[in-house]
Amino acid sequence: MTNTRFGRLGFIGFGKMAESIVSALGPSSETEAFRFISRSDGSRHRGSERGGIDCSDAPEKLFGSADTVVIAVTPQDLDDISPLFSQPPDALIVTLLAGISTDRIRAVTGSDRVCRMIPNIATAKRRSLVGMCFATTTDDESRERAHLLAAELGTPLPIPERLMPAATGIGGSGLAFAFRFAHALALGGVAEGMTYEQASMAAAAVLDGAAAMLLDGRHAAQLETDIASPAGTTIEGLQRLDEDGFTAAVMHAVRAASKKARSFEADLS
Ligand SMILES: NC(=O)c1ccc[n+]([C@@H]2O[C@H](COP(=O)([O-])OP(=O)(O)OC[C@H]3O[C@@H](n4cnc5c(N)ncnc54)[C@H](OP(=O)(O)O)[C@@H]3O)[C@@H](O)[C@H]2O)c1
């Protein structure tokens, strides 16, 4: 029953993100350790369908058994769940709420142990970037436990809280930018005579290889230079990419998404 990596896991809210985390971590004997509180019969039903996860309306059941409680409602629902925290919980609180500060979560939950995470939908494949920061009051053991959970979901990126909007821009929205790049790469293949299916699989394999090499810790600019042989094919393509504004366009996209995330933080604070 006990999950030795990050403790028994509970959820408040069982929507897309909670479901994606549960499907990433289970099914296993540890699935028995999941427990969640939800609002409607629909999400209760979805939750119990996914490996018999125990759903309850009683906060004392959730807080009595979970070592880590993931808040997975939408930011607009935060006020609605505040009555659940009539007693400050012992559990580590992991909040997924975009734009809501750790200070606000501490105030709502009464907990000093708060980790804020920004995952993306690649959680389901355990390949998400997980931007994460902590309330300053969070103890070391809780930080370690949150880090282990993030590592199960993909690549943890511990950052100061002021950089969470940037993590949203590069990690949350950046995944969509990567899909747009994959689509463009595939269209290039189609223009050269491949079917879209062939070109799309080729683009996926190329991105997979690029990600694996980058995750080894190598520098993108160095890898790019290694590929581009003198007077070869790659340098021709790289020149065209930048003549067409590729680098500036991607930087603008990350900055625009991060700016929007900052404006959400300001609106919600
Ligand atoms: N989706 C993403 O890619 C993504 C990425 C990063 C962060 N996030 C963050 O993750 C959080 C969840 O996102 P999501 O996409 O999973 O949202 P979602 O699919 O709308 O799920 C929200 C869940 O919260 C439940 N809920 C709402 N009010 C409740 C209450 N008072 N008591 C108990 N449960 C309640 C809803 O229940 P019902 O189904 O019964 O209404 C639903 O199951 C958000 O804060 C979002 O900012 C999402």
Side-chain angles (χ1 to χ4, degrees):
M1 187 75 172
T2 301
N3 182 330
T4 50
R5 292 169 300 171
F6 38 75
R8 289 159 298 188
L9 214 52
F11 293 86
I12 300 178
F14 199 79
K16 292 182 285 297
M17 213 54 224
E19 194 170 339
S20 141
I21 291 174
V22 166
S23 75
L25 300 179
S28 73
S29 57
E30 288 150 8
T31 311
E32 291 169 36
F34 296 138
R35 189 184 278 276
F36 75 101
I37 287 185
S38 197
R39 179 170 51 182
S40 70
D41 287 344
S43 47
R44 270 187 215 114
H45 182 66
R46 251 193 345 270
S48 46
E49 268 191 337
R50 305 285 182 271
I53 299 157
D54 188 4
C55 176
S56 167
D57 290 325
E60 58 279 8
K61 278 198 179 170
L62 178 76
F63 295 123
S65 70
D67 301 300
T68 300
V69 170
V70 180
I71 304 184
V73 299
T74 63
Q76 295 73 20
D77 294 319
L78 181 59
D79 287 339
D80 288 349
I81 64 161
S82 64
L84 298 175
F85 296 94
S86 53
Q87 301 282 331
D90 288 333
L92 162 68
I93 302 293
V94 172
T95 165
L96 305 180
L97 275 60
I100 304 279
S101 69
T102 53
D103 278 348
R104 174 110 187 266
I105 298 295
R106 277 185 66 201
V108 169
T109 63
S111 174
D112 283 340
R113 279 171 276 179
V114 175
C115 173
R116 182 174 163 197
M117 287 186 189
I118 300 276
N120 63 34
I121 55 162
T123 324
K125 295 282 179 191
R126 303 172 82 158
R127 299 278 183 88
S128 174
L129 175 74
V130 186
M132 58 193 296
C133 67
F134 296 93
T136 51
T137 47
T138 310
D139 60 274
D140 288 346
E141 192 265 329
S142 300
R143 286 171 192 253
E144 175 63 17
R145 201 190 309 160
H147 199 276
L148 289 171
L149 173 59
E152 288 293 323
L153 304 177
T155 303
L157 181 69
I159 45 176
E161 189 153 14
R162 68 183 164 77
L163 291 180
M164 290 302 265
T168 305
I170 201 169
S173 310
L175 188 62
F177 306 157
F179 289 137
R180 181 63 70 91
F181 175 72
H183 178 58
L185 208 55
L187 290 179
V190 172
E192 286 296 319
M194 290 185 186
T195 65
Y196 187 85
E197 288 69 27
Q198 289 168 334
S200 182
M201 284 309 290
V206 166
L207 288 173
D208 187 47
M213 295 178 87
L214 288 169
L215 286 168
D216 278 345
R218 297 176 68 187
H219 197 292
Q222 183 61 55
L223 288 163
E224 180 188 293
T225 311
D226 289 349
I227 298 169
S229 53
T233 57
T234 305
I235 196 69
E236 287 290 317
L238 287 172
Q239 182 179 351
R240 281 308 296 264
L241 273 182
D242 274 345
E243 283 170 0
D244 290 345
F246 179 78
T247 304
V250 176
M251 287 180 68
H252 284 151
V254 173
R255 299 207 69 184
S258 305
K259 186 175 172 193
K260 188 76 176 177
R262 266 193 301 279
S263 77
F264 286 151
E265 305 239 328
D267 290 348
L268 289 165
S269 66

